[in-house]
Amino acid sequence: MKFDEIEAVKPTRESLAEAYAVLNGLLDRGAVTEALAEWEGLRRATSTWSSLTHLRFSQDTSNAEYKAEREYADALGPVISDHETSWKNRLLALDPALMEGQYGRHAVDIWRNDVTTFSPAIAADLEEESKLEADYTALLASAIFVFNGETVNLAGLTPYGESLDREIRHQSAAARWGFFSEHGAELDNIYDKLVKLRHKMARALGDENFTALGYRRMGRLDYGPAQVATYRAEVLKHVTPLVAKLIEQRRVANGLDTLYAWDEALVDPQGNPKPQGDHDQLVARANEMFDAMDPRLAAFYRQMNEGGFMDLKNRPAKAGGGFCTSFPAVGMPYIFANFNGTHHDVDVFTHEMGHAFQNYQSRNQPSLDYLWPTSESAEIHSMSLEFLAYPHIAPMFGKQTARYQRMHLIGALEFLPYGVCVDHFQHEVYANPEASPADRHAMWRKLESTYLPWRNWGDLDYPAMGGRWQAQLHIYRAPFYYIDYTLAQCCALQFWVKSQQDYKGSFDTYVELCGLGGSAPFGKLVAAAKLKSPFEPGALQAVVKTAEAALAV
C-alpha cells in the first residue's frame, strides 16, 4: 500500500442520510450482524476521508483548497455525530448480547458513553469549536522569524533554544515569546470563545460545567477528576522536589549564577546531544535501530517508509508539533512531525512510531472503537517505545548515545510536573468559565509557581505574567488531553525498568499490549501489560526512585 494510492469518497449530507437509512432498514428486518458490518465499513471509510482532509490542512495551512475542505469536514462533523448518536441509541435499545457477542462488552460501554456527548442542540457549537481550534493552528503556523540570518518558524527556533551560547538562547526565547505577546489578545480571544462555547455545550447536555463532558469526550470510563487530583498531588510530592534538585545541579554544572527559563533546555553542559545526520540520513539509520529492537517493528517501519506514510520535514505554513493519524479503511497509520535538527527529532519520531505501531497491530480489531485506545493508554505505546529504543539508539547518536539516554531520562522526569500543571490549569479554567483572560493568566502563574517553583522568566514579560500556556496546543485543541502523557510516563518508566531485566520479554509484552488497541479501558490494559496503575499507591514513587538512582551513577 502506498499513501498516494489511498482514495476516500467525500461524504455528503445526502449520502450519509441514505447510508443510515439502509442501516436502519437492516435493523428493522432484524439483520443485526449484517447491519453492524455495514456500519463498520461506513465508519472506516468516513474516518479515512476525515483523516486525509485534516492531514492535508496540517501539511499546508496556507493552501486555500485544503482549508476549504477542512472547513467542509468541520461542518459535516456534527452531521456525522448526529447520525452516529441516533444509531448507537438504537443499538443500545436492543439486547446487549447481540452486540457483545461480536464486539465484547467494552464497545457497548463506549457507545453508552458516546451518546452522552452529543445532541443536535450543540451541532452548530461543535462546528464553531472546530473552526476556533483551526484558527489557533493557523495562527501559530503563520509565525515567521528572521533569526541568526535564517528564516524559521516556531519549530525552527528550537535548536537556538538549546545553543551553548547563552545569549542566543535568550534571543531565541525573546523572539518566541515576542510572537505570543504580539498575538496575545487574539490568542486570549480564541480561548475565551472556546471556554464559553464548551461550557455552553456542557450545560445543554445537562452538566454543571465542561469538566464532566470533557472527561466523557476523552472516553475515560474507569477513573475521574478525583483520582487525577490525587495523582497530581503525588507528582507534586515526589517529583517536583527531585526536578528542583536536577535543575539546581544543571545551574551548577553550567556555571550559572541564576538559571533562567531559557537556560532550562540546555540539559547537558557539553551541549545537548544532536542526532547524527539530516532528515534523510536519520530515516535511513532508523532501519538499523528498528532491526535491532524487534523484527516486527522493523518490518512495519519499512512498510511506513516505503509507502510514503511519513511527513517529517519542517517547512513554512506546516502546522507545528507531531501526531499520528490513521486510515482505517486501508489499515495504515501516518506520522506527521517537524524535524529541526535537535534530539527532539528522535524523541518525536520514536514517540509517533509507537502510536503508529500500535494502530497497525490492532488494525484487525473488529470495531473502529478498538483501533485506538483512549489517550492515556495510547501514550503508553508511544512513550514506552522511546525507552525501549535506548539500547539500540546508537545509529542515531553515535558516541553521544549515553549522554542522550541520560538527557532523555531527565526530560521524562522534568515533564511530569509540567504535565500535571497543564491538567490542573484546565480544571481551574472550566470550573470558572466566566473568568477573564487576565484571571486565566493569573491561574497559570500561580500553578506554575507551585508545580515548577524553579521557573524564572527573567526579563521575558509575557510568560512571566502567565502566558506560557498559550503555546500548549492541547489546551486549545484537545481539552483535558494532557494528564494522559503523565499517566503514560509512569507506565513507560515501568517498561524501561522491566526491559533492563528482560528486553525480549518486555518487548513481547509491549507488542501484545499494542495488539489489544482500545478493546479495554485504561486500568484493564495496564493490568494486561502487567504494569502497576499510576493511581495505585506507590507506583509513581517507585519508578521515580529507580530513575533517580540511575541518574546518580
Side-chain angles (χ1 to χ4, degrees):
M1 168 62 65
K2 303 289 186 182
F3 171 67
D4 292 340
E5 297 172 354
I6 296 177
E7 296 181 359
V9 177
K10 182 178 179 178
T12 64
R13 291 172 183 264
E14 293 74 22
S15 69
L16 289 167
E18 291 172 6
Y20 275 94
V22 171
L23 291 173
N24 279 297
L26 289 170
L27 275 195
D28 291 340
R29 298 197 303 272
V32 177
T33 300
E34 184 180 352
L36 289 173
E38 288 291 324
W39 180 47
E40 186 66 25
L42 173 64
R43 289 206 293 170
R44 290 185 184 234
T46 303
S47 179
T48 296
W49 164 79
S50 179
S51 293
L52 280 169
T53 300
H54 286 91
L55 173 62
R56 285 167 178 152
F57 173 70
S58 296
Q59 289 177 317
D60 185 358
T61 61
S62 66
N63 186 298
E65 180 183 348
Y66 293 166
K67 181 179 180 181
E69 285 298 296
R70 192 222 74 228
E71 290 174 346
Y72 175 85
D74 290 345
L76 198 64
V79 177
I80 295 170
S81 295
D82 193 6
H83 282 297
E84 288 207 347
T85 300
S86 297
W87 175 252
K88 289 173 183 175
N89 273 318
R90 189 165 184 196
L91 291 175
L92 292 169
L94 301 174
D95 179 356
L98 295 171
M99 281 78 68
E100 291 176 7
Q102 186 165 343
Y103 295 139
R105 179 178 174 180
H106 186 51
V108 179
D109 289 340
I110 290 173
W111 301 342
R112 288 197 182 100
N113 176 75
D114 288 349
V115 299
T116 69
T117 66
F118 178 81
S119 163
I122 67 168
D125 293 331
L126 286 169
E127 181 179 352
E128 178 63 19
E129 181 184 28
S130 294
K131 289 180 179 177
L132 289 167
E133 291 168 3
D135 287 345
Y136 173 79
T137 300
L139 177 58
L140 264 60
S142 73
I144 297 295
F145 309 89
V146 177
F147 192 84
N148 206 34
E150 182 182 9
T151 300
V152 298
N153 56 13
L154 284 167
L157 275 179
T158 302
Y160 296 110
E162 298 183 9
S163 172
L164 280 169
D165 187 323
R166 195 183 196 192
E167 183 55 31
I168 289 179
R169 295 200 302 272
H170 179 240
Q171 291 173 2
S172 168
R176 178 180 301 274
W177 296 112
F179 171 83
F180 283 92
S181 177
E182 179 184 353
H183 296 279
E186 187 176 356
L187 288 162
D188 276 331
N189 185 49
I190 291 172
Y191 193 59
D192 192 61
K193 288 180 178 178
L194 281 168
V195 170
K196 289 180 168 58
L197 193 63
R198 289 165 179 161
H199 181 72
K200 177 188 173 187
M201 288 190 282
R203 296 291 292 175
L205 294 175
D207 294 301
E208 180 181 355
N209 58 44
F210 180 71
T211 302
L213 175 59
Y215 270 60
R216 295 200 304 276
R217 292 200 331 186
M218 293 296 295
R220 295 172 180 166
L221 303 183
D222 57 349
Y223 66 93
Q227 290 97 320
V228 168
T230 299
Y231 177 76
R232 290 198 306 260
E234 286 291 294
V235 172
L236 182 61
K237 179 179 179 181
H238 298 295
V239 187
T240 292
L242 171 58
V243 175
K245 184 168 75 172
L246 293 173
I247 291 289
E248 173 59 16
Q249 290 173 356
R250 187 173 312 159
R251 182 193 68 78
V252 173
N254 288 334
L256 303 174
D257 292 333
T258 301
L259 190 138
Y260 291 106
W262 57 85
D263 297 316
E264 290 185 31
L266 182 61
V267 178
D268 190 319
Q270 299 178 58
N272 290 351
K274 295 181 179 180
Q276 304 297 293
D278 59 16
H279 167 276
D280 293 349
Q281 291 170 314
L282 292 181
V283 168
R285 288 173 181 167
N287 283 302
E288 183 181 347
M289 178 177 71
F290 292 131
D291 279 341
M293 290 173 69
D294 185 86
R296 293 160 291 190
L297 181 63
F300 167 68
Y301 172 70
R302 285 186 172 84
Q303 191 172 351
M304 289 283 287
N305 189 20
E306 294 168 7
F309 288 92
M310 300 187 299
D311 179 359
L312 309 176
K313 289 183 177 179
N314 181 30
R315 58 181 177 273
K318 184 179 180 182
F323 61 80
C324 178
T325 189
S326 69
F327 313 114
V330 297
M332 284 297 293
Y334 190 101
I335 293 176
F336 175 99
N338 284 274
F339 276 13
N340 55 33
T342 71
H343 62 92
H344 296 293
D345 293 350
V346 179
D347 297 344
V348 172
F349 182 43
T350 52
H351 182 100
E352 300 305 336
M353 270 296 294
H355 283 310
F357 185 63
Q358 173 272 301
N359 182 259
Y360 184 73
Q361 287 297 110
S362 61
R363 68 193 182 283
N364 294 322
Q365 285 283 349
S367 172
L368 181 77
D369 299 300
Y370 292 170
L371 299 187
W372 294 106
T374 45
S375 299
E376 73 293 281
S377 302
E379 298 303 342
I380 297 175
H381 311 118
S382 55
M383 291 181 147
S384 295
L385 196 65
E386 293 181 47
F387 286 105
L388 290 169
Y390 273 15
H392 309 292
I393 209 163
M396 300 299 205
F397 289 97
K399 295 179 180 179
Q400 303 178 84
T401 296
R403 288 168 50 212
Y404 166 77
Q405 292 165 340
R406 179 179 179 83
M407 178 179 65
H408 182 274
L409 182 57
I410 290 172
L413 295 171
E414 291 183 355
F415 171 75
L416 291 169
Y418 173 74
V420 297
C421 184
V422 169
D423 180 72
H424 198 159
F425 173 70
Q426 293 183 87
H427 279 82
E428 291 289 328
V429 164
Y430 291 109
N432 300 278
E434 297 304 319
S436 68
D439 291 334
R440 294 189 192 108
H441 288 280
M443 288 177 193
W444 176 266
R445 192 165 62 247
K446 178 181 178 181
L447 292 170
E448 187 178 59
S449 67
T450 299
Y451 289 104
L452 298 88
W454 54 83
R455 179 68 45 86
N456 186 334
W457 289 105
D459 61 359
L460 301 180
D461 294 338
Y462 194 72
M465 56 77 74
R468 164 66 181 88
W469 62 271
Q470 291 184 326
Q472 192 59 60
L473 65 85
H474 301 71
I475 293 176
Y476 284 80
R477 294 176 48 185
F480 289 113
Y481 187 163
Y482 217 71
I483 195 69
D484 310 77
Y485 292 107
T486 72
L487 296 171
Q489 193 74 284
C490 180
C491 296
L493 284 163
Q494 292 179 62
F495 260 118
W496 167 64
V497 173
K498 290 173 180 287
S499 70
Q500 295 176 78
Q501 302 157 358
D502 178 9
Y503 188 87
K504 184 180 184 304
S506 297
F507 209 99
D508 286 343
T509 301
Y510 173 78
V511 174
E512 290 169 6
L513 176 64
C514 288
L516 291 174
S519 61
F522 174 62
K524 289 185 177 179
L525 290 173
V526 169
K530 300 178 179 62
L531 305 173
K532 289 185 178 180
S533 168
F535 299 125
E536 184 178 327
L540 178 68
Q541 186 179 7
V543 292
V544 168
K545 280 189 173 181
T546 302
E548 183 178 13
L551 291 173
V553 175

